[in-house]
């Protein structure tokens, strides 16, 4: 198992949070990134983070001869 860091929406508790690039190139200007929840539409600079454990699946196929 591997651990992955995800952002959590403080309003609806969803993990479907994306960086909002509508506000321009924040990384060039040195301003904080803006995030938007894909579930409820909440937009803010502050989204808490949590670590979750993910399982990695390995697909093993048959060898064809």
């Amino acid at each position: 198992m591997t651990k992955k860091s995800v952002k959590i929406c403080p309003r609806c508790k969803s993990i479907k949070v994306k960086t909002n690039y509508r506000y321009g190139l924040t990384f060039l200007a040195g301003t904080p990134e803006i995030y938007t929840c894909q579930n409820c539409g909440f937009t803010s600079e502050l989204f808490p983070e949590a670590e979750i454990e993910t399982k990695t699946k390995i697909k093993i196929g048959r060898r064809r001869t």
Side-chain angles (χ1 to χ4, degrees), residues 19-20 23-27 29-35 44-46:
T19 304
N20 190 339
Y23 293 99
L25 300 174
T26 58
F27 60 91
T31 58
E33 289 184 308
I34 305 292
Y35 300 100
S44 177
E45 297 173 358
L46 304 173

Side-chain angles (χ1 to χ4, degrees), residues 51-64:
E51 285 188 355
I52 59 171
E53 291 185 4
T54 58
K55 293 182 180 179
T56 55
K57 292 183 181 179
I58 299 173
K59 186 175 181 180
I60 300 174
R62 288 191 192 179
R63 246 173 112 176
R64 295 185 181 205

